[in-house]
Amino acid sequence: MTLIVALDRVSPGEAEQLVADLCDVVEGFKVGLPFVLSAGVRLVEKLRGACPSRLWIADYKLADIGYIMRLVAEEAASWADAVIAHSFIGVDGGLGELAEHLAREGKKLILVVSMSHPGSRDVYDRATPYIAAVVERLRPWGLVAPATRPEMIALYRRKAPWAKILAPGVGAQGAEPGEALCAGADYEIIGRQVTGAPEPRAAALLARRRQEERLRLCRAQS
Ligand code: BMP
C-alpha cells in the first residue's frame, strides 16, 4: 500500500475512530508532535495496539545532539517502528548516535532531506550535496521528500536507490495523489485531506484510487 496517514490535529476520540476506519487501507500512520503533546503517549500506544500490523512512525523531526535524540527515541520505542529526524544536523555526535541506537533496537531511521513548504528552497534545497552525503554515509531506511516538488523526489531517488521515499504535501498542500509516486516515491503522506474529511475511509480510498490512476498514466507515458 502506498498511503501513510498523518495524525496531527485530531482529538483522542477521532484518532481512535480514524485508526479503526483506516487500518486495513493504509500502509501506516505518522504521528506528529501536535497529537502526541495533546493526547499523550499512552493513547498512541493504545492506537498502535488497535492496528499493530501497520507501520507506526514517530514524527518528532529530531534535530539535536545524538544523546538527546536517543532519549527521545527511547520515549517513542513503546509504539514507534520508525523515527523521523532532520538530516542537516550531520553525523558525528548527532545522527550517527541516533542511527546506531535505532539499529540496535531494530527500529527504522527516516531522514528529512527536503521539505514541502516553499522555504525549503532557502536552505535544504541549496544544501543538496551535503544532505546527500549524510544520506550516503548513514544509509537510512527512509527519506522524507516533498510531493509538492517532484523534482526533489526524483533527485533523491537517483542518489539513494535503496531508500524508501515518503512524500508529504498531498492534498491540503496542493500535490495530487500519485504525483510523488510517479517521481519515484514509495509512499505518499496525507494528513488533513483524510483526517479532516467527513468520511475519512472514503477519502483514503479515493486517494488510493487516484494514486493508481496517475501511476498507470505515468507508467504508460514512460
Ligand atoms: P497535511 O497533508 O495535512 O498537509 O499534512 C502533512 C504532514 O506531513 C504533516 O504531518 C507534516 O508534519 C508532514 N510534513 C510536511 O507536511 N512537509 C514536510 O516537508 C515534512 C513533513 O513531515
Side-chain angles (χ1 to χ4, degrees):
M1 279 185 279
T2 46
L3 194 63
I4 291 175
V5 166
L7 300 178
D8 290 312
R9 191 163 192 256
V10 291
S11 71
E14 286 166 344
E16 291 193 81
Q17 193 59 53
L18 278 166
V19 170
D21 287 349
L22 299 176
C23 184
D24 65 329
V25 296
V26 301
E27 177 68 20
F29 295 93
K30 183 181 80 64
V31 185
L33 278 174
F35 184 71
V36 181
L37 291 175
S38 64
V41 169
R42 298 289 92 83
L43 180 67
V44 187
E45 289 170 348
K46 188 172 167 205
L47 295 176
R48 198 229 148 86
C51 181
S53 58
R54 295 292 172 238
L55 181 69
W56 285 83
I57 303 171
D59 185 9
Y60 296 161
K61 297 230 173 45
L62 298 174
D64 212 317
I65 58 171
Y67 168 67
I68 298 296
M69 293 195 292
R70 186 161 53 75
L71 294 184
V72 179
E74 279 168 9
E75 290 300 318
S78 58
W79 63 271
D81 304 299
V83 172
I84 298 182
H86 275 293
S87 53
F88 61 77
I89 54 171
V91 177
D92 297 331
L95 291 169
E97 248 180 70
L98 177 66
E100 276 171 28
H101 169 75
L102 292 174
R104 264 198 313 275
E105 299 296 313
K107 308 272 183 187
K108 296 173 168 62
L109 172 63
I110 300 173
L111 291 182
V112 177
V113 292
S114 173
M115 295 189 70
S116 59
H117 64 304
S120 182
R121 292 195 181 94
D122 297 344
V123 179
Y124 251 133
D125 297 356
R126 289 184 191 197
T128 301
Y130 305 104
I131 300 294
V134 168
V135 167
E136 177 60 37
R137 211 172 138 193
L138 286 175
R139 297 178 81 86
W141 177 84
L143 306 177
V144 174
T148 48
R149 286 204 308 294
E151 68 277 10
M152 295 307 296
I153 294 174
L155 187 152
Y156 280 100
R157 180 73 295 154
R158 288 192 299 276
K159 289 188 181 293
W162 73 88
K164 300 287 183 198
I165 297 184
L166 293 72
V170 179
Q173 296 178 56
E176 292 291 329
E179 255 186 297
L181 300 179
C182 285
D186 298 277
Y187 307 109
E188 291 182 338
I189 296 171
I190 305 188
R192 288 163 283 180
Q193 195 174 64
V194 166
T195 60
E199 291 185 39
R201 185 180 170 88
L205 289 171
L206 176 63
R208 276 183 40 170
R209 242 188 346 269
R210 291 176 60 206
Q211 283 180 327
E212 282 157 21
E213 285 163 11
R214 188 127 191 167
L215 261 180
R216 256 200 308 279
L217 266 180
C218 71
R219 280 179 183 151
Q221 283 164 1
S222 66

